[in-house]
Each structure stands twice: as C-alpha cells, then as structure tokens.
Amino acid sequence: MKDKKIIVGVTGGIAAYKAAELVRILARAGAHIQVAMTASATKFVAPLTFETVSGNRVVWDMFDRGTAPLDHIQLGQESDLIIVAPATANFIAKMAHGIADDFLSTMVLAATARILVCPSMNSQMFVNPVVQENLKRIAGMGSVIMEPGEGELACQTEGPGRLPEPEDIAEQARMLLSQQDLSGLKVLVTSGATIESIDPVRYITNRSTGKMGYALARAARLRGASVTLVSGPTALEPPYGVQVREIKTAEEMKQAVFDNHTDSDIIIKAAAVSDYRPRNSAQQKIKKGEESLTLDLVRNPDILEELGKAKTDSGYTLVGFAAETEELLKNATEKLRKKNLDIIVANDVSREDAGFESDTNLVKIIYRDGSIEELPLMTKDDVANHLLDRIKELREGGS
Ligand code: CTP
C-alpha cells in the first residue's frame, strides 16, 4: 500500500460513515488518499471528516475552483486504484450507462485505474434485477465488485446489502494492488497448535498462536493464490478471502489435510502439532487424589511425514517448519530428509523475538540440496512473503 495513490469515492448511502474508517485504514498503511464525494454523500457525512482522516482536501463540487482545483480527468488516470464505497444503486446505474453528471461519476468514466465497487443498499434494491444487471454490466467492463454482507440493515430489514467491513475492503484493495504472481495456485497452510483432551476440562497444547501460519495464508491470498487454512484454536481473525477449516486435534488436522492434499500445489505445515495425546480422554473431570498422577500418552500421526510419503514428483511442493531450542540446523536438516520435504524453515523458538507468540521471526530456509539462506529478524508478514518467493522460484526451477 505504501505510496499507492487511491481515490475513495463516497456516494450517498447511510454506510458513508464506514468509509471514514476505510480511509483511516488505507492512510495508516501508507497510501495517499484522495476522497471524492457525491453531493448526497455530503448529507450523511461532512467532508471535513474525510479531510481529517485522509489529510487531503475532499472534492465534491465539479465546479469548485478552490485554491488548487482538482482535475477530474487526470485524477482517475494517475491513481493506482479507485474504490467506490459505499456504491449506491443510483451510482452503479450511472457507471453502467456512462452518465457523468458530477465530479465522481465524471472521474470514474474517464478513469484508467482499476475500480473496486462496494455496493451498499436496501436488500430489495440489491436483488432487483435492474441493479443486478447493472452490476453484471460494470463487472463485464472490468470493475471488481465486492459482495455486500448480509444481516440487519439500517432500514430495519435483513438480507444482502451491507457494506463489507472496512478491513475487508482494505484487504481486497491490497489484493488488487499486489502482484498476482501466485494466481492459479492452490495453497494449503496448517497453522497454530493442536489440543488433545485429557478430560472435559483439561487438555495438552503448546505455545503456538498461529501467527506465522495466518501470515502465510494471507500473503499467499494477496498474491492471488486460492488458499485453504487448516487452523488449530486461535484468537486471530480469519484472513480475508481464505477458506478456513477449524480443527482441534492432530487427528482432525490430518483428516482436513488429507481431504485437500491431492488438490494442492503447495503445502506449508506451519502448525505445531501435539506429538502425543492421552491414550484415553476421561469422560468425567479427573479428581484430585494421589500425590502424583501419570498420564498415559500415545503417539499422534506425523502428518508432515505422511505427506512426504504421499508426494510424487509432479505433486505438491512440501514445506515444513522446524521448531528447535538447540542444534537448529542439524535437527532441521534431519527433519527435511526424514519427512521428504522440499524446504524446511528452521525456527529457534528459544528466542523472545522469534517463534511462538512473537510478531517477528528469525528463520533459516534450508533446501534439499543442503543450501541454507539465513534471513534477518523480520515481521512474520515479511518472512511469509520471502518464503513464498523462494517456493515460487523452486517450482519454476530456479534457486
Ligand atoms: N508435524 C506434523 N505432525 C506431527 C508433528 C510435526 O505434521 N505430529 C510437522 C510440523 O507441522 C512441522 C514439522 O512437522 O512442519 C516439524 O515439527 P516439529 O514440532 O519441529 O518436530 P517434530 O517432527 O514433532 O519432532 P520433535 O518434536 O522431535 O522435534
């Protein structure tokens, strides 16, 4: 998003107030935001609100010559993206039929930038065939349409027509601004800890939060891949546009992975799987008794190892993570060989700023041919993108 030029077009619907939050998110991400409003939009939210959150003058009057008049032709041709949010039925109709009777509609008609349209209106209006036809028409002409959310609307009806959450609109915008170099690929990511029940109130788990796996799923999606995320219990929000399959135990994770593995081009196992589970999970809460208690544990399947065995030469690229507290390279390299991986990401989890719970990570990428790339300390988002670059190069026969 950094330094991208984005125009946010606000039209006259009650959801106009949510556009202020969208502008704030985009501006915080480093984009240069220019807001253009229709005259009706200014009845819902004062332009001053948008001027404050964008840090730039807001334009709504075609004939305002102001101190530095904005050119409606140049603006839409020099920007990287135009987002119309909310887009009313009226504005969508104007876009579909080339009506240019104010600043925003004229700018959109003359624009060469990509246009993201976020419809928001009463659900009866939204399902009206006229609106649906108009949406189809503008999609056919290259605009990207975001599905409205469903639920209770401001007009006290239920159904489709809610403006998507500003965070989701921003993610869709990020996607449109990102290089789609993984488009056409199916990526399966596993993430977080598994939990193994001891009794109805207790379980065995580990310190993994899922941050690395979620960063990978999100990055792959932003780069155009179709992503399935098999996730252990987590406090994280599911990444926008990613299909999430929630699991609890290692057995459930195995099932979810093997439901998807043959269909995947890339499998990344960032999950911290419990190696053992109690032989029997007690039906009732275990009561306090003797001074010591021994739990009888049995081995869980090694999902990654089974994926390694099932891999064919033309099959998926298989990437594992190695969480180590000592002899990082030796242990990680052994895992790469034993589990028949293409890449293993070695992670020293004894450090505060790397591994579990942290937003940053310090990893070494190890390849089958024994070569090693040491990455500096970076955010998990950056590690994710770096790793995806390397996986892509490997698949294309480089590296
Ligand atoms: N893994 C798995 N199934 C398991 C255990 C691990 O799929 N039952 C995967 C993890 O998702 C990770 C890799 O194997 O990608 C290495 O996991 P790690 O916990 O570092 O090592 P283990 O193989 O469990 O070996 P150890 O616990 O002895 O270090």
CSV table of all heavy atoms in Angstrom, one decimal, residues 190 269-275 300-305 319-324 335 339 344, ligand 1:
chain,number,residue,atom,x,y,z
A,190,THR,N,-1.2,-25.2,7.2
A,190,THR,CA,-1.7,-25.5,8.5
A,190,THR,C,-1.1,-24.6,9.6
A,190,THR,O,0.0,-24.1,9.4
A,190,THR,CB,-1.3,-27.0,8.9
A,190,THR,OG1,0.0,-27.1,9.2
A,190,THR,CG2,-1.7,-28.0,7.8
A,269,LYS,N,3.4,-26.6,6.2
A,269,LYS,CA,2.9,-27.0,7.5
A,269,LYS,C,3.6,-26.2,8.6
A,269,LYS,O,4.6,-26.5,9.1
A,269,LYS,CB,3.2,-28.5,7.7
A,269,LYS,CG,2.2,-29.4,7.1
A,269,LYS,CD,1.8,-30.6,7.9
A,269,LYS,CE,0.8,-30.4,8.9
A,269,LYS,NZ,1.2,-30.5,10.3
A,270,ALA,N,2.9,-25.1,8.9
A,270,ALA,CA,3.4,-24.2,10.0
A,270,ALA,C,2.9,-24.6,11.3
A,270,ALA,O,3.3,-23.9,12.3
A,270,ALA,CB,3.1,-22.7,9.6
A,271,ALA,N,2.0,-25.5,11.4
A,271,ALA,CA,1.3,-25.9,12.7
A,271,ALA,C,2.3,-26.5,13.6
A,271,ALA,O,3.3,-27.2,13.2
A,271,ALA,CB,0.2,-26.8,12.4
A,272,ALA,N,2.1,-26.3,14.9
A,272,ALA,CA,2.8,-27.0,16.0
A,272,ALA,C,1.9,-28.2,16.5
A,272,ALA,O,1.0,-27.9,17.3
A,272,ALA,CB,3.1,-26.1,17.1
A,273,VAL,N,2.1,-29.3,15.9
A,273,VAL,CA,1.2,-30.5,16.2
A,273,VAL,C,1.6,-31.2,17.5
A,273,VAL,O,2.8,-31.4,17.7
A,273,VAL,CB,1.3,-31.5,15.0
A,273,VAL,CG1,0.2,-32.6,15.2
A,273,VAL,CG2,1.1,-30.8,13.7
A,274,SER,N,0.7,-31.5,18.3
A,274,SER,CA,1.0,-32.3,19.5
A,274,SER,C,1.5,-33.7,19.1
A,274,SER,O,0.8,-34.4,18.3
A,274,SER,CB,-0.2,-32.5,20.4
A,274,SER,OG,-0.8,-31.3,20.7
A,275,ASP,N,2.7,-34.0,19.5
A,275,ASP,CA,3.2,-35.3,19.1
A,275,ASP,C,2.5,-36.5,19.8
A,275,ASP,O,2.5,-37.6,19.3
A,275,ASP,CB,4.7,-35.4,19.4
A,275,ASP,CG,5.5,-34.5,18.5
A,275,ASP,OD1,5.1,-34.4,17.3
A,275,ASP,OD2,6.5,-33.9,18.9
A,300,ASN,N,0.8,-39.4,18.2
A,300,ASN,CA,-0.1,-38.9,17.1
A,300,ASN,C,0.6,-39.2,15.8
A,300,ASN,O,1.8,-39.3,15.7
A,300,ASN,CB,-0.3,-37.4,17.3
A,300,ASN,CG,-1.5,-37.0,18.1
A,300,ASN,OD1,-2.5,-37.8,18.1
A,300,ASN,ND2,-1.5,-35.9,18.8
A,301,PRO,N,-0.2,-39.2,14.7
A,301,PRO,CA,0.4,-39.4,13.4
A,301,PRO,C,1.3,-38.2,13.1
A,301,PRO,O,1.0,-37.1,13.5
A,301,PRO,CB,-0.8,-39.4,12.4
A,301,PRO,CG,-1.9,-38.7,13.2
A,301,PRO,CD,-1.7,-39.0,14.6
A,302,ASP,N,2.4,-38.4,12.4
A,302,ASP,CA,3.2,-37.3,11.9
A,302,ASP,C,2.7,-36.9,10.5
A,302,ASP,O,2.9,-37.6,9.5
A,302,ASP,CB,4.7,-37.7,11.8
A,302,ASP,CG,5.6,-36.5,11.6
A,302,ASP,OD1,5.2,-35.6,10.7
A,302,ASP,OD2,6.6,-36.3,12.2
A,303,ILE,N,1.9,-35.9,10.5
A,303,ILE,CA,1.1,-35.5,9.3
A,303,ILE,C,2.1,-35.2,8.2
A,303,ILE,O,1.9,-35.6,7.0
A,303,ILE,CB,0.2,-34.3,9.6
A,303,ILE,CG1,-0.7,-34.7,10.8
A,303,ILE,CG2,-0.7,-34.0,8.4
A,303,ILE,CD1,-1.4,-33.5,11.4
A,304,LEU,N,3.1,-34.4,8.5
A,304,LEU,CA,4.1,-34.0,7.5
A,304,LEU,C,4.8,-35.2,6.9
A,304,LEU,O,5.0,-35.2,5.7
A,304,LEU,CB,5.1,-33.0,8.1
A,304,LEU,CG,6.0,-32.2,7.2
A,304,LEU,CD1,5.2,-31.5,6.1
A,304,LEU,CD2,6.9,-31.3,7.9
A,305,GLU,N,5.2,-36.1,7.8
A,305,GLU,CA,5.9,-37.3,7.3
A,305,GLU,C,5.0,-38.1,6.3
A,305,GLU,O,5.5,-38.5,5.3
A,305,GLU,CB,6.4,-38.1,8.5
A,305,GLU,CG,7.4,-39.1,8.1
A,305,GLU,CD,8.0,-39.8,9.3
A,305,GLU,OE1,8.1,-39.2,10.4
A,305,GLU,OE2,8.4,-41.0,9.1
A,319,VAL,N,6.5,-28.0,2.3
A,319,VAL,CA,7.4,-27.1,3.1
A,319,VAL,C,7.0,-27.4,4.6
A,319,VAL,O,5.8,-27.3,5.0
A,319,VAL,CB,7.1,-25.6,2.8
A,319,VAL,CG1,8.0,-24.7,3.7
A,319,VAL,CG2,7.4,-25.4,1.3
A,320,GLY,N,8.0,-27.6,5.4
A,320,GLY,CA,7.8,-27.8,6.8
A,320,GLY,C,8.5,-26.7,7.7
A,320,GLY,O,9.3,-25.9,7.1
A,321,PHE,N,8.1,-26.7,8.9
A,321,PHE,CA,8.8,-25.8,9.9
A,321,PHE,C,9.5,-26.7,10.9
A,321,PHE,O,8.9,-27.7,11.2
A,321,PHE,CB,7.8,-24.8,10.6
A,321,PHE,CG,7.6,-23.6,9.8
A,321,PHE,CD1,6.9,-23.6,8.6
A,321,PHE,CD2,8.0,-22.4,10.3
A,321,PHE,CE1,6.6,-22.4,7.9
A,321,PHE,CE2,7.8,-21.2,9.6
A,321,PHE,CZ,7.1,-21.2,8.4
A,322,ALA,N,10.6,-26.2,11.4
A,322,ALA,CA,11.2,-27.0,12.5
A,322,ALA,C,11.4,-26.1,13.7
A,322,ALA,O,12.1,-25.0,13.6
A,322,ALA,CB,12.6,-27.5,12.1
A,323,ALA,N,10.7,-26.4,14.7
A,323,ALA,CA,10.8,-25.6,16.0
A,323,ALA,C,11.8,-26.2,16.8
A,323,ALA,O,11.7,-27.3,17.3
A,323,ALA,CB,9.4,-25.6,16.7
A,324,GLU,N,12.9,-25.5,17.1
A,324,GLU,CA,14.0,-26.1,17.8
A,324,GLU,C,14.5,-25.2,18.9
A,324,GLU,O,14.4,-23.9,18.8
A,324,GLU,CB,15.2,-26.4,16.9
A,324,GLU,CG,14.9,-27.2,15.6
A,324,GLU,CD,14.5,-28.6,15.9
A,324,GLU,OE1,14.7,-29.1,17.1
A,324,GLU,OE2,14.0,-29.3,15.0
A,335,LYS,N,15.1,-33.4,9.8
A,335,LYS,CA,13.6,-33.4,9.6
A,335,LYS,C,13.3,-33.3,8.1
A,335,LYS,O,12.4,-33.9,7.5
A,335,LYS,CB,12.9,-32.3,10.3
A,335,LYS,CG,12.8,-32.6,11.8
A,335,LYS,CD,12.1,-31.5,12.6
A,335,LYS,CE,12.3,-31.7,14.1
A,335,LYS,NZ,11.9,-30.6,14.9
A,339,LYS,N,11.3,-36.4,6.4
A,339,LYS,CA,10.0,-36.2,6.0
A,339,LYS,C,9.8,-35.9,4.5
A,339,LYS,O,8.7,-35.5,4.0
A,339,LYS,CB,9.4,-35.0,6.8
A,339,LYS,CG,9.4,-35.3,8.4
A,339,LYS,CD,8.6,-34.3,9.2
A,339,LYS,CE,8.9,-34.5,10.7
A,339,LYS,NZ,7.9,-34.0,11.5
A,344,ILE,N,12.7,-26.7,4.4
A,344,ILE,CA,12.3,-26.6,5.8
A,344,ILE,C,12.7,-25.3,6.4
A,344,ILE,O,13.8,-24.7,6.0
A,344,ILE,CB,12.8,-27.8,6.7
A,344,ILE,CG1,12.1,-27.8,8.0
A,344,ILE,CG2,14.3,-27.7,6.9
A,344,ILE,CD1,12.0,-29.2,8.7
B,1,CTP,N1,4.5,-32.1,12.2
B,1,CTP,C1,3.4,-32.9,11.8
B,1,CTP,N2,2.8,-33.8,12.6
B,1,CTP,C2,3.4,-34.1,13.8
B,1,CTP,C3,4.5,-33.4,14.3
B,1,CTP,C4,5.0,-32.4,13.5
B,1,CTP,O1,2.9,-32.6,10.7
B,1,CTP,N3,2.8,-35.0,14.6
B,1,CTP,C5,5.1,-31.1,11.4
B,1,CTP,C6,5.0,-29.7,11.9
B,1,CTP,O2,3.9,-29.1,11.4
B,1,CTP,C7,6.3,-29.1,11.3
B,1,CTP,C8,7.3,-30.2,11.2
B,1,CTP,O3,6.5,-31.4,11.3
B,1,CTP,O4,6.1,-28.6,10.0
B,1,CTP,C9,8.3,-30.3,12.4
B,1,CTP,O5,7.6,-30.2,13.6
B,1,CTP,P1,8.4,-30.1,15.0
B,1,CTP,O6,7.5,-29.9,16.1
B,1,CTP,O7,9.5,-29.1,14.8
B,1,CTP,O8,9.2,-31.5,15.0
B,1,CTP,P2,8.7,-33.0,15.2
B,1,CTP,O9,8.7,-33.6,13.9
B,1,CTP,O10,7.5,-33.1,16.0
B,1,CTP,O11,10.0,-33.5,16.0
B,1,CTP,P3,10.5,-33.2,17.5
B,1,CTP,O12,9.2,-32.9,18.3
B,1,CTP,O13,11.1,-34.4,17.9
B,1,CTP,O14,11.4,-32.0,17.4
